[in-house]
Amino acid sequence: MFEELSTPAFVVDRAIVRRNCERMRARLNPPTRLRPHVKTHKTLEGARLQLGAETGPITVSTLAEAEFFADGGFRDITWAVPIAPSKIGRAATLATRIDRLNLLVDHVDSVDALDAFASSSSTGFDVFLKVDCGTHRAGVDPESAASIALVERIVASPHLRFRGLLTHAGHSYDVDSVEAIREIAAEEAACLTRFAGKLQVAGIGVETRSIGSTPTCSVVERLPGVEEARPGNYVFFDAVQTGLGSCTLEDCAASVIVSVIGHYPERAAIVTDGGALALSKDGGARHPGREPEYGVVCDLAGTPIPGLHLRGLSQEHGQIAVDAGVEIERFAIGARLRVIPNHSCLTAALFDRYTVVEGAEVVGEWKPARGW
Ligand SMILES: Cc1ncc(COP(=O)(O)O)c(C=O)c1O
């Protein structure tokens, strides 16, 4: 079956996705509810497997995703990226079509823009404050008085409904032990709880504290004081997550089938048609003293082939170095390989359709949302 696909092809093993989703649902205990992030796969089918239901609360990363999922029957959506003022009109239109569209802000100018739009169009917006609990990508400083003033500004608006605090422990990707990831998870929850306590003193209640990343949610037993978790990558997992200890290689549900298009025994190299536009160019986990590799090269059954190293990616070429002692003739022109990507979210985003399999059998095709 893998022999017939036009390469490079993005393949999703649905049985593994189902198992990953069931495990994540079983991990999270009340009062923590799951609001899975769907940005990894961006498909209706994937979201339903995450929820174990036809519909339910989800998290998205683009407005186009939010619209796509609304069209697919999802009525409770958090768009977990701070809104650009130019998108407020589109967001307002979408908000009228579903039960809840939560928007994210971390700056007074965004709050003012939402307030101004809402007052001139007699609409209202549900708003989360993005909090920086250590990643330093986006979000307000929970220790700063200005952050409390920003929430007071949201609460003072008759057009904005303050729904809670949201953070994402992106820095859980930068540490090198499960113990360190557990510490980040505990600090992420504690950070929101401390901030919620300060808001309480200022007379502001926090309905929802929302956290979530795949590394933290994969290794903690409890998320004390957290009402909502938003992991997403666990649906597919990938080579980076195996390095972090979130999963094993057998849990990786997404791979790219590639064909050998260049064969160079004299310099122990082969080239495939899986370049950067088929795999993305995420360098993966850092291994001090070792050259980066752009994925795990496997046979078509998904078993890693020792001695094959995907060391170079250009637009349409994947360069594989072959160790001495490996029989390079096995990888003749036209031979096929299966690559587990470093970062499945970025890799999936390069394909307009996914071939869905269970083991060696094709069971369908998923079409993801695209664009912004
Ligand atoms: C705001 C937000 N929430 C949740 C997630 C999901 O995290 P992960 O991809 O580790 O599952 C992300 C991922 O980037 C995110 O940006």
Side-chain angles (χ1 to χ4, degrees), residues 15-27:
I16 302 177
V17 170
R18 187 176 290 117
R19 191 179 68 204
N20 292 344
C21 293
E22 282 167 358
R23 281 187 187 154
M24 187 56 84
R25 284 204 303 280
R27 287 195 74 77

Side-chain angles (χ1 to χ4, degrees), residues 37 39 80 130 137 166 168 173 212-215 230-233:
H37 212 312
K39 76 188 180 74
K130 173 91 193 230
R137 179 180 68 177
L166 183 148
H168 167 64
Y173 283 86
S213 74
T214 287
R230 311 177 318 278
N233 173 279

Side-chain angles (χ1 to χ4, degrees), residues 114-307:
L114 285 172
D115 188 42
F117 183 97
S119 64
S120 66
S121 59
S122 44
T123 48
F125 291 109
D126 295 290
V127 174
F128 269 81
L129 183 73
K130 173 91 193 230
V131 181
D132 179 6
C133 288
T135 300
H136 308 321
R137 179 180 68 177
V140 301
D141 176 357
E143 307 301 334
S144 156
S147 305
I148 295 174
L150 186 55
V151 179
E152 285 170 336
R153 167 77 185 90
I154 297 170
V155 172
S157 164
H159 313 290
L160 305 181
R161 294 174 289 271
F162 175 58
R163 293 301 185 187
L165 305 174
L166 183 148
T167 192
H168 167 64
H171 52 310
S172 61
Y173 283 86
D174 299 329
V175 293
D176 51 16
S177 74
V178 167
E179 206 34 59
I181 294 172
R182 287 205 179 99
E183 277 167 29
I184 287 175
E187 172 49 23
E188 186 187 25
C191 161
L192 286 195
T193 298
R194 281 196 306 272
F195 189 36
K198 289 183 190 171
L199 291 172
Q200 190 86 44
V201 171
I204 301 169
V206 174
E207 197 177 285
T208 301
R209 281 162 289 185
S210 178
I211 61 112
S213 74
T214 287
T216 52
C217 290
S218 298
V219 300
V220 290
E221 305 304 328
R222 300 224 154 250
L223 294 163
V226 164
E227 286 84 19
E228 184 178 280
R230 311 177 318 278
N233 173 279
Y234 71 94
V235 173
F236 289 164
F237 283 124
D238 51 33
V240 164
Q241 298 287 354
T242 65
L244 289 166
S246 312
C247 66
T248 65
L249 215 51
E250 291 72 45
D251 301 322
C252 294
S255 56
V256 179
I257 308 294
V258 299
S259 296
V260 175
I261 57 168
H263 188 84
Y264 311 98
E266 65 285 5
R267 53 186 169 85
I270 56 175
V271 168
T272 77
D273 58 2
L277 285 188
L279 284 161
S280 88
K281 210 165 177 177
D282 194 310
R286 281 164 289 138
H287 299 287
R290 271 182 26 209
E291 274 183 70
E293 295 188 17
Y294 292 103
V296 180
V297 184
C298 301
D299 62 19
L300 290 183
T303 307
I305 305 175

